[in-house]
Amino acid sequence: MSLQGAAGAEELIFYVNGRKITEKNADPEQMLLSYLRKRLFSVQLTGTKYGCGGGGCGACTVMISTYEPASKKIRHYSANACLLPICSLYGVAVTTVEGVGSTKTRVHPVQERLAKCHGSQCGFCTPGMVMSIYTLLRNHPEPTSEQMIAALAGNLCRCTGYRPILDACKTFCKESICCQRKANGKCCLDQEDDLFDKEEKVSTRLFSTDEFQPLDPTQELIFPPELMRMAENQPKRTLIFHGERMTWISPVSLDELLDLKAAHPKAPLVVGNTSVGPEMKFRGVFHPIVIAPARIPDLNVVKCTDDGGNIISRKSTSDLNPILAASNCMLNLASRGRKRQIPLSDIFAHGVGNNTIMPEEILVSVHIPHSRKGEYVSAFRQAPRRENALPITNAGMRVLFEEGTDIIKDLSIFYGGAASTTICAKQTCWTLIGRHWNEQMLDEACRLVLKEIALPDSASGEKVDYKKTLIVSFFYRFFLEVLQSLKTMDPCHYPGIPMEYRSVLQDFKTKMPQSIQIYQDIEPSQSLQDPVGRPVMHLSGIKHATGEAVYVDDLPSVDGELFLAVVTSTRAHAKIVSIDTSEALKAPGVFDIITAHDVPATNEFYYSNDPEIIFARNKVICVGQIVCAVVADSDVHVKQAAAKVKIEYEVLEPVILTIEEAVKHNSFFEPKRTLEQGNVDQAFETVDNITEGEIHIGGQEHFYMETQSVLAVPKGEDKEMDVYVSTQHPAIIQEMVAATLGVPANRIMCHVKRVGGAFGGKLMKAGLLASVAAVAANKTNRAVRLILSRGDDMLITGGRHPFIGKYKVGFMNDGRIRAVDAKYYINGGCTPDESVLVAEVSLLKMDNAYKIPNLRCWAYVCKTNLPSNTAFRGFGFPQAALVTETWITEVADKTGLPPEKIREINMYKENEQTHFKQKLDPQNLIRCWNECMEKSAYHSRKTAVNEFNEQNYWKKKGIAIVPMKFPFGLGTRYLSQAAALIHIYTDGSVLLTHGGIEMGQGIHTKMIQVASRELNIPMSYIHFCETSTSTVPNACASAGSAGTDVNGMAVKDACQTLLKRLQPIINKNPNGTWNDWIKEAFEQSVSLSATGYFRGYNENMDWEKGEGQPFTYFLYGAACSEVEINCLTGDHKNLRTDIVMDVGCSINPAVDIGQIEGAFVQGIGLYTMEELKYSPEGVLCTRGPDQYKIPAVCDIPEQFSVSLLPSSQNPYAIYASKGIGEAGLFLGCSVFFALRDAVTSVRNERGLKNTFALNSPLTSEQIRAGCADDFTEMMTNDESASSTPRAVSV
């Protein structure tokens, strides 16, 4: 059948939220996500979000419903809209978050509960969460908690730490959700008095389930009857859609498919588009024709699993391939006029060059044989994260014994993830036939398999040694499984395996976590209307859940709007020889190209000696630096054109990527900083012992769910411009854009409604990107939209600073630490950004909770050819304090005392001074520590951990408790000033604005709580519209946990000014209502608008003298975490975490506990999972959720409790609260040290007494290497191992 034979393009018919869509020119390259957001109806459905574009984050989840006429069943699936071609939706009903419910019609129970349980912070991931839960409930109205956890496995959230989202989910689950934490199996809530001091009035409820509306399945949208009729009555016919560059063919019979494959052997078959989609999107693969076989009834066998594609493409990452191959499955293949059956294992026989399957053949079905008597089959995998991650290595193994014996008759072993396709250890299997299943065979098998399976040095930088260790560890695990099965079959002949080995046969499973949150109740005397201290829901919570909350890219398109894409450097250090834009300018839809020559005024900003640069001029200093930009009429066209810009480089030396290289070339940003107290050198002479070491701490990507976004709209007169930006600091955007365009700041209006997560990453970088968009808008005189793709965002923006800490510590035999000499090297990247400030903060906060009498520390910021690193939640403290806790633990190892003893001995005890001579009162530090010890039952659990470890050889538990002192302050007064503006209208409603930015931390909610208390009116009277430079000028950044502290003071000031003016009127008519008073005030010509101002905290630091008062107050906390590791794979599970945090008097306990949990889980990511990898040329390899793993639902502790320290006061901040945003992140290292504890117990048991260094992130690879055994030993003796590294540790 020829393509021309089909009549013109088809009409694509499907439904969205109950409305019929007839698309006359469906483009096969158009994905549902961009279709919904940009093309659909007169209204754009922007509730479905772009998070990564690769199906890895779940922000774009929608529900797909299909009707199967044969079974008369309607099926619902959740799907990632970013990978779903619209052409695949013929006859399908799509439901988006807007179709589930809205504030205008009815809010659905899923949306309501997610919001009221505080399950949204920045709200960007919330619509995707809603859709995953909603789809599950459409299929299972009363799901089990296992089903619920599985439904959320593909949804990432960077703010909440998942606990409140799961709380909302539990309300739909049928089984009891009690924690049964008490020894007698009762719920901890029934016995509150045991948990707390009698006199403290505490609460554990953050929401009330009584107000939830019930879930009523009869109220859902029905499946469109027209689609049912179409499916039942219309004869199926082939569909063909022609796009701009691509043709989509959807045949309806197997014969027709075979004809198509004969005519177009190179055309891929697309079902789920999870393989072809990402290839086309990220690897530049292009297919002029694709064939979609999903509508062919005979192929349903494959359709349900959608793994046919993985088999045919021989994907090495497929988890099914090794097990199907090992099980002797058969493939039924067909091509025109020919059918045949081949063993699946054949297609992996000769590696990549294998051409067993012809291009014109298709896979019709997979035949899976029944297992026989005496046959055992198993599968194994190890991935960077348990859920939603491709494997590092996986395996499928099968053994068949001679009847009634343990003599191997047949053996097959397949590995995936090791090479570019699934591989078979054929020689090994042949050699072992006829052997007994015993230790001798095991030893031989391991040697043979290592010899046979040669691993290439993979480009992704996975360490080859780890993969090899897994290869033999998996075989050993299979060996144990089979021994155990033989025993079950014939206990007389086969002894099975020792008790202490058995636990390793169980993989870690993800369970629904149990959690408890404890906070201090408000005083009974507090007025019912006063919201301060109550767990008020985030004011945008419902709008987050219905998708109505507007982010920058959700703003409707402006007439004539252009899209901008940046062209970035591909060299780390090079001269720009030429930029050839001719091809790009010819591309369809292209409007113009913007370079440094188009910048009217400032292109380089000198905030210190080295500039921050908008467009590279003559040379580039890192991969990912912006060289020029393309503007075009659509996001598709602009990306295609940007790829056609050709830049020629001449490489410059040296290329410096790592801290070590920077030290070698003496490449630093000035100034270098140092702090010293006591006499360090003398102290080292008097101590009993000295330990020295170093620790490497990797960087961290912010991974805010909303990528960097700007919309610049020229006003057309007086050079005015509106700039809508996702930023933490509108004032710097205004300043930079104005300077770039050479206009006064009063012509640039910067608007921020809300930000989809920031964590420090939307300060300076957002300013540079806004300037790029503004220059383009200025040149073209059109509105310009710049939304970075996830890959570009990760490549361009930099993140947390990689760190090397070197230390020398002098201590006494009783554990007292007398002297510390520490040096910190920080990888700053190619421009200064905030790096020197980060270095200063790491020196000021490095003591954590400990009093060290003699201390000297240095900080050096390395200048390298990496994208500039920047602010990130915690700002140097999480790295510096990890170094400190590392030497604390090392002292414990050396003295033989438990780590918690060393921590207690050296902790700040009474009113003392820090190493920079600021006074502190550590009373609450000690309270947090003691309460955490008690609440976590540390000592009894430590004993239980030791017992477990004695009884289990291949699995170990570890436990650790870590204290924290987190100083609050920004170092100089002017950085913490703030202003607010309040208008009261004559109907009594109040409009409030201030300089703070809402990025998930609930600042607007808290500010309205403050105004409600001050003005003594209900919160419902008060509205917050947006943060804008035209209402509050010169506002400081929302950073450093200070947003609520400083803006709260300003709001309070404005309210008090207004109340003072109203007081005479209130005194005259004390029984009047608010509205009476306002009306009267207007009639008496009393001004109903006021600004409020806060001068900032009086903070200062003198680096010459090494002393000062850089901080205003201190937050304290402690966390105890318990983990379990699998010594064979390095995998681990977070079992339990208890956190006690001193946050003063919480203004909103729900928000504050959410901040602590969210930061803690981000800390788990930093210290145990998130690994950035660069190529030796300085190119970032981890550019999206596929390669870079942030914590998912499966990573949070199975038991998770957070208590706010009761009756704590803070005289310095609004209503005695404390700034809580950053502190919790460091507590994630309690998991790091629990893992270290588990690895230590492995090493002690195996007699490995030498000290060992663990770096951060402590991934499964490091854990496995730390658990040294016969298998890791084989690596050190293996000649073929580790040659040149493919990944650079920066």
Side-chain angles (χ1 to χ4, degrees), residues 118 163 203 205-206 517-522 531-536 1006 1009 1143 1145-1156 1202 1204:
H118 316 285
R163 189 275 310 161
S203 178
R205 308 282 158 111
L206 289 175
Q517 304 79 41
I518 301 163
Y519 61 95
Q520 192 167 359
D521 244 351
I522 48 176
V532 172
R534 301 182 197 271
V536 179
K1006 285 182 171 180
Q1009 285 177 276
V1143 303
C1145 293
S1146 172
I1147 293 176
N1148 185 330
V1151 166
D1152 287 351
I1153 288 172
Q1155 285 293 294
I1156 293 164
V1202 177
L1204 303 184

Side-chain angles (χ1 to χ4, degrees), residues 652-809:
L652 297 172
E653 293 291 331
V655 173
I656 300 170
L657 301 178
T658 65
I659 289 173
E660 291 87 344
E661 289 165 350
V663 173
K664 186 175 123 195
H665 289 285
N666 196 22
S667 173
F668 297 105
F669 288 116
E670 296 299 329
K672 304 182 180 71
R673 294 293 194 201
T674 177
L675 281 176
E676 189 161 356
Q677 79 162 352
N679 188 330
V680 178
D681 299 327
Q682 196 181 327
F684 273 119
E685 286 166 20
T686 59
V687 294
D688 295 342
N689 286 297
I690 292 177
T691 182
E692 295 189 55
E694 70 175 63
I695 174 172
H696 293 236
I697 304 165
Q700 186 180 22
E701 162 61 35
H702 297 94
F703 213 95
Y704 27 69
M705 294 303 295
E706 175 199 31
T707 58
Q708 301 273 355
S709 310
V710 190
L711 175 62
V713 186
K715 287 299 221 10
E717 57 178 324
D718 295 330
K719 299 188 173 167
E720 288 181 357
M721 192 178 283
D722 275 322
V723 191
Y724 301 88
V725 199
S726 178
T727 179
Q728 298 168 253
H729 197 352
I732 195 99
I733 305 282
Q734 178 190 36
E735 177 189 314
M736 290 174 81
V737 167
T740 306
L741 300 181
V743 301
N746 62 9
R747 308 300 159 87
I748 308 295
M749 279 47 111
C750 180
H751 307 266
V752 184
K753 188 148 187 93
R754 60 173 61 79
V755 170
F759 314 113
K762 291 181 176 173
L763 294 159
M764 184 75 76
K765 290 298 183 298
L768 294 170
L769 289 160
S771 301
V772 168
V775 169
N778 179 65
K779 183 181 180 188
T780 58
N781 214 14
R782 298 266 202 102
V784 169
R785 193 179 290 251
L786 162 56
I787 311 292
L788 285 187
S789 68
R790 175 64 63 189
D792 278 350
D793 191 299
M794 292 187 72
L795 180 71
I796 295 168
T797 60
R800 190 185 294 283
H801 294 76
F803 218 83
I804 293 183
K806 301 189 176 191
Y807 52 84
K808 177 178 171 191
V809 180

Side-chain angles (χ1 to χ4, degrees), residues 418-464:
S420 54
T421 180
T422 308
I423 43 180
C424 173
K426 224 196 247 120
Q427 305 299 124
T428 308
C429 297
W430 284 340
T431 313
L432 296 173
I433 285 173
R435 305 286 157 93
H436 285 275
W437 195 258
N438 55 22
E439 294 280 339
Q440 204 179 336
M441 181 280 307
L442 169 72
D443 194 53
E444 191 177 356
C446 291
R447 290 181 201 299
L448 287 169
V449 87
L450 275 180
K451 204 163 160 185
E452 180 172 0
I453 293 188
L455 295 191
D457 288 338
S458 65
S460 65
E462 284 298 347
K463 312 290 184 297
V464 173

